[in-house]
Structure formats: structure tokens, C-alpha cells
Amino acid sequence: MSFSFSQGYKQLPTVDKDAGEQESLRRKGPRKSIFPLLRLTFAVIIIMCVSVPCVRMIRSRGFWATCHGAQRNSSTLAKLPSHYTLPSGDSIPSVALGVWQASKGEVGNAVKTALSAGYRHIDGAWIYRNEEEVGQAIKASSIPREELWLTSKLWNNFHAPEDIETALDQSLSMLGTDYLDLYLIHWPVAFKKEGNNVIDEDLTADPYPTWQKLEELVDKGKIRNIGISNFNIRRIQNLTANKLKYQPAVNQVELNFWNPQPELLKWSKENGLLLEAYSPLGSDKQVGKSLSVPEVKDIACKLGITPAQVIISWSVQRGTIVLPKSVTPSRIVENLEVFKIPQEDFEMLEQAAASHPPQRVVNPSSGWKLPFDVFDGQ
């Protein structure tokens, strides 16, 4: 079954961002022969002390490869779209700071670094347990609220109609704002309580009541856009089979080199639904592996950018919003810089990503002891 949304998202043009010698060292023999040697020794020691951490950092980012031939200067590369236009007409930044797994005491500094570097899109969720610190960092930045894009998500416990607005209000309060730019159904799963027992319910059967309540909150002005997360094609179709007042703005899913999901991407483009890519560099255990992919390293060498920038750029060039997460300042800054990859290199990377069996890392079905698979094998 296929359908078309009444109005799809569009890419927007890129917005460019723009000591003296120590007497105690005297020895017998000509002075001119000893001090050059000492200076050379000290220089070697200093270079080693400085270079070893740098080499470790470069290796950790996967940029340890021999580059043959002239490299292009990244400043000469074309930029990719900095925003997409949603069906509502709102412009959403194409790269966001993801704060999943960013711990307390770290996430605030990460957000401050990101905002200072030029990020204007922060992707969070109630279940991340760090929205209060994120809100404090946003307040400290003094960036006007209208210049920011804030996303949160409705957790599985709060699908009862009477709980949805309360859950949203908690996130609004912690973030220090009176509205969200985007609010997502976090998973197509609802946790219901009967007595002391928790019942896991598949929302596929009837996701509409939750969606209707979210539409009411849009009308109240508490949310500007609503969407979904971790929905496969069948679940999207089950939702949109209803007469919706507001179509889903985005679908946020695990999307990376190891799990490229070309079918979902193609279907979503054909039906005007924008995908957001979480874990774009792979899960924590996959990042090093991702940055060491031969095709990724070859493109990085050719273009004079880092492997991480290659992967994030590839994701934006596929037409998705990308949500890289980090608490390391240098990586946060690096991840925001995306460049257009030459078409032949883009196609090479696309083929490489599709050449292996998909490796989905995030699937809580077993951990939650669900009687169904959240992804139905997709």
C-alpha cells in the first residue's frame, strides 16, 4: 500500500557559516658542540610529547591512512543543505547535536560547546534524563529561543490520553521553554499498568488516539511539529490510514553505514516523509569500525576532510537530518561541518553500505520482553 502526503519536505539552500642556556650544563670541550645537541634533544622530546596525543586522537577518529596524490582543501568543497522545510513551513536544521547517552555533568558543556560552534538544533528526549541540564545550558547561552530547534519525545509510559500533556509539560519545564519545535512518539510501544503488572502493547493496532492528542497540543501552541520514531513502513501506513489533521513531520530511525535502510529511505522520499538518522556513525561499538571503512578513508584523503565528516556528509547528502552525538568539544565542532561529496564517491559509498547484511544495533524488543518485534524484521 502506498500513499502520498499532501505536502512534503524540501531542501533549502545552504547558509554559509561562516630560555637561556643553563650554566650547570657546561662540560669540557667546545661550547658550540654541546648546546646544539642539547637543543636538538629538547626539541625532539617536545615534539614527541606533543605529537603522541595528537597521533592517538587522529587514530581514534579513523584518519590514519596514507593519502596519495593532491588533497582538496575543504574550503573549496560545496556545502550541503543547512535546513529542510517541513510540511508546516518550518525550517529544521540538517545537523543536530544528539544528547542520547550524554551523562549528567557532561551534557551541559556539550550543549554549550555546540551552540557556541553554531548548532541550533538539539535532539533530546524525556527518557534521556538530562533535559534539565540541557535547558540550563540553553539558558546560559542567551541565544534567542526563536533561533533554536528543540526536539523531545513521548516515552512509552505516557500514552494514556490523560498522561500525554503532563509528560510534555515536564519536558517543557525542564528545558525552560513554553513550546517544542518537534515532539515525537519515541517508540511504537505503550507500557500500560494493571495493578502491579506492566503490559507492553503494540501500538500498530491503534496508534491514532495518541496522535489525536498530539494534534490537540499542536493546536494549543505547545508543539509546532509532531512526528514518529522507530516506525517501519507498515506502522507508518497504519497510522496514516486514519484521517490525520497533521501528517508526521519526520521519522527518526537508526540509520548509518551498517544499517543504511535504502528501502525505507526510498519509500519515505516517495511519500514526502523526512528521515532523521540517529547513531549516524554507528553505535558506540561501531564508531571505530565506521571510521576505518576503506571507502570512507579514501574519500577523506581525497577531499581533505575527516572520516567522521565523510559519513555525516554522506548522510545529509542522502536527504536525511543527522544527529551525531558527542561530549568531546573538538568532535562536536568537527561534526557540524558537512561537505558535498562528488557523485562518483557518493555512489561508491552508497554501494559499499548496501553490500553487507544490515546490522541493526538498537532493538529493545528482547530487553523489554515484548511479545512482538518492534521492527518486524526490518
Side-chain angles (χ1 to χ4, degrees), residues 97 106-120 122 137-138 140-141 143 326-336:
L97 177 71
E106 290 184 321
V107 68
N109 288 331
V111 171
K112 290 176 183 177
T113 298
L115 295 177
S116 178
Y119 286 78
R120 291 297 180 266
I122 308 296
I138 291 171
S141 74
I143 295 174
S326 179
V327 295
T328 304
S330 61
R331 295 178 182 178
I332 292 172
V333 174
E334 174 189 331
N335 292 342
L336 184 60

Side-chain angles (χ1 to χ4, degrees), residues 35-107:
F35 285 106
L37 179 60
L38 289 173
R39 284 197 292 269
L40 178 61
T41 302
F42 287 139
V44 171
I45 293 173
I46 291 171
I47 291 172
M48 289 179 64
C49 290
V50 171
S51 64
V52 169
C54 290
V55 168
R56 287 175 179 168
M57 184 272 290
I58 293 171
R59 279 177 170 167
S60 72
R61 294 298 274 173
F63 199 40
W64 191 254
T66 302
C67 297
H68 301 284
Q71 294 182 39
R72 295 180 61 180
N73 189 322
S74 62
S75 64
T76 67
L77 299 176
K79 293 295 186 77
L80 288 166
S82 62
H83 292 73
Y84 295 98
T85 299
L86 297 178
S88 66
D90 289 344
S91 295
I92 181 171
S94 59
V95 180
L97 177 71
V99 297
W100 176 41
Q101 295 180 326
S103 60
K104 291 183 178 179
E106 290 184 321
V107 68

Side-chain angles (χ1 to χ4, degrees), residues 139-302:
K139 182 178 180 180
S141 74
S142 299
I143 295 174
R145 173 65 183 89
E146 61 271 16
E147 295 182 12
L148 298 174
W149 186 280
L150 301 182
T151 298
S152 188
K153 305 176 187 76
L154 177 71
W155 187 240
N156 307 342
N157 294 44
F158 307 125
H159 281 275
E162 64 273 16
D163 293 338
I164 294 173
E165 186 169 7
T166 300
L168 171 64
D169 288 343
Q170 288 181 15
S171 289
L172 293 175
S173 176
M174 289 186 288
L175 290 169
T177 183
D178 57 3
Y179 72 94
L180 289 176
D181 298 279
L182 180 62
Y183 198 48
L184 307 179
I185 296 176
H186 205 151
W187 289 92
V189 177
F191 296 162
K192 287 187 173 182
K193 283 189 175 181
E194 289 189 359
N196 294 323
N197 298 319
V198 175
I199 298 175
D200 303 319
E201 181 182 0
D202 187 349
L203 284 185
T204 297
D206 193 11
Y208 189 45
T210 295
W211 193 259
Q212 278 187 306
K213 187 64 180 180
L214 294 181
E215 289 179 328
E216 292 177 13
L217 296 173
V218 172
D219 290 337
K220 278 189 173 184
K222 290 187 174 184
I223 311 169
R224 292 185 60 87
N225 300 273
I226 50 179
I228 50 183
S229 181
N230 299 298
F231 275 56
N232 59 22
I233 294 173
R234 180 177 67 84
R235 295 177 187 281
I236 300 169
Q237 290 175 325
N238 285 338
L239 172 61
T240 55
N242 297 280
K243 188 175 181 180
L244 306 183
K245 185 174 184 178
Y246 301 111
Q247 298 290 346
V250 304
N251 182 21
Q252 186 175 128
V253 295
E254 180 184 345
L255 209 60
N256 51 53
F257 181 86
W258 307 109
N259 189 34
Q261 302 204 65
E263 296 85 4
L264 176 62
L265 180 60
K266 179 177 182 293
W267 184 92
S268 298
K269 286 183 176 181
E270 290 173 348
N271 290 280
L273 179 61
L274 183 61
L275 293 186
E276 291 189 325
Y278 69 75
S279 298
L281 299 177
S283 73
D284 290 342
K285 295 180 180 179
Q286 291 176 313
V287 173
K289 181 179 169 186
S290 299
L291 301 180
S292 298
V293 169
E295 291 85 355
V296 170
K297 294 169 74 173
D298 287 346
I299 295 171
C301 287
K302 176 180 177 181

